[in-house]
Amino acid sequence: MGTRVVEAIITAALVALVTFISSLILTYFFNYNSSIRIGTSNEIGENQFILPININTFEKDIKDLRISTPMPITEKQIKSNQPLQIKILKSNIGTKTGSVLEIDKVSSDKNIQLVLTTSKLINDKDIQVSGNGNKVTTEYLSEAKNPLQAQLKNLILNAILYAIIFGISTYLGNRRLDIKNKRLKEDIDHIEERRLQHKQDAEEALAQLHKRLEDAKVAYDEVKGDANNLQNKFKETETKIEEAKTESLKKQILLQAKLNDYRKELNFWRNTIRKVIYELPNGEKKAEEIFKSISTSLKTYQTHENNNHDFETLKVLSKMINDKDSK
């Protein structure tokens, strides 16, 4: 019950808000433009007529407002109740003999009364107003309508607008209520089905859980046995790796010792041959050329490098082997 009251209040508030905004927009665009009221030309003397023009501004200023007349007008023929900056332009609207009055600026919230003095009667319909970008409404007093009609028109528009908005909101509210009731019934049925399904699923899940616990216990025992076997194999593999490392170190020492012996013997024969060749004329140069030629043919370039064997390395390797053997 409380939910329906809240929804009714929200709907009424929305309708009132939309109606207010719509009325405000209509009023802004149609009723709050600056207005120019063109009066009728009246004779005040022989060949002397006056034509009143009222300019009413509201929220905005008017700039560069232009009023054209069918006959030439001078500044002396224009009277105003307030100071204005008015320029007389050449007529570009209507007849070529007319004039264009350009008002530089009329501030907001002003009521300006202009009076044009002419020597001939002017038809008020021949007075043309160019807003020149300003929001201006032109009214002719000869066509003045009863204000009650305009007010009645606004009331009718507001009533129609309110009725449309209220009808749409009521339709949408009832449609929404029907949809909510339908969804509520579907949700209740769905909840009941889910409750029964959950109960069945829970029973099946409980049975599967017991079975999985038993299977997990068996699997744990198997994994525990495999882990023990794996640990034993790891220890055996570790022992074999250490033995292989020891054998590798021993072989490395033997190879290093053999390489050292071969290097000594190679140096001995090389030095012996060099001494024999040195006895020949220009023997030193020939000896080097012969050794380079032999190395080039056999591709044994590294024999010319001064690679003295590092005996400290052999000592370290031997000590490592002794330590492993002692362990």
Side-chain angles (χ1 to χ4, degrees), residues 132-246:
N132 203 15
N134 300 286
K135 297 175 67 176
V136 176
T137 300
T138 304
E139 299 178 6
Y140 295 94
L141 293 183
S142 61
E143 295 180 348
K145 297 179 181 179
N146 189 348
L148 182 61
Q149 294 180 355
Q151 191 68 23
L152 182 61
K153 180 181 178 181
N154 291 333
L155 291 175
I156 293 173
L157 288 175
N158 289 333
I160 293 173
L161 181 63
Y162 181 81
I164 292 173
I165 295 174
F166 183 78
I168 293 174
S169 62
T170 303
Y171 171 76
L172 294 177
N174 292 334
R175 180 179 175 82
R176 182 181 177 187
L177 183 62
D178 294 339
I179 293 173
K180 288 181 67 175
N181 291 334
K182 182 179 179 181
R183 288 181 178 176
L184 180 62
K185 184 177 182 305
E186 293 176 352
D187 291 340
I188 293 173
D189 296 339
H190 184 62
I191 290 172
E192 183 64 21
E193 292 177 0
R194 290 182 62 184
R195 188 186 68 81
L196 297 175
Q197 185 65 37
H198 287 167
K199 181 179 179 181
Q200 183 180 357
D201 293 342
E203 293 175 353
E204 294 178 356
L206 185 61
Q208 292 179 359
L209 180 61
H210 286 299
K211 185 176 183 303
R212 288 179 180 178
L213 287 175
E214 294 177 357
D215 295 340
K217 185 178 180 181
V218 174
Y220 172 76
D221 294 337
E222 293 178 355
V223 170
K224 185 176 180 180
D226 293 339
N228 293 332
N229 294 332
L230 184 60
Q231 186 175 7
N232 294 331
K233 290 181 179 179
F234 176 75
K235 290 180 179 179
E236 293 176 0
T237 304
E238 187 177 12
T239 302
K240 290 180 180 180
I241 291 173
E242 291 297 328
E243 293 175 354
K245 287 182 178 180
T246 302

Side-chain angles (χ1 to χ4, degrees), residues 65-69 71-79 85-92 97-104 114 116:
L65 178 68
R66 293 181 178 180
I67 301 174
S68 62
T69 63
M71 62 177 59
I73 296 291
T74 63
E75 294 180 357
K76 294 181 179 181
Q77 295 176 262
I78 304 173
K79 304 296 181 182
Q85 185 70 29
I86 300 177
K87 293 185 294 184
I88 306 298
L89 305 178
K90 291 183 179 181
S91 176
N92 56 3
T97 58
S99 297
V100 176
L101 313 180
E102 184 178 72
I103 302 174
D104 182 55
L114 295 179
L116 304 183

Side-chain angles (χ1 to χ4, degrees), residues 40 62 72 74 85 112 143 160 191 202 204 211 232 247 255-256 261 265 282 292 296 303 325:
T40 57
I62 296 178
T74 63
Q85 185 70 29
I112 306 296
E143 295 180 348
I160 293 173
I191 290 172
E204 294 178 356
K211 185 176 183 303
N232 294 331
E247 291 296 326
L255 290 173
Q256 293 290 345
D261 292 341
E265 186 173 351
N282 200 10
K292 288 183 179 179
T296 302
T303 57
D325 290 341

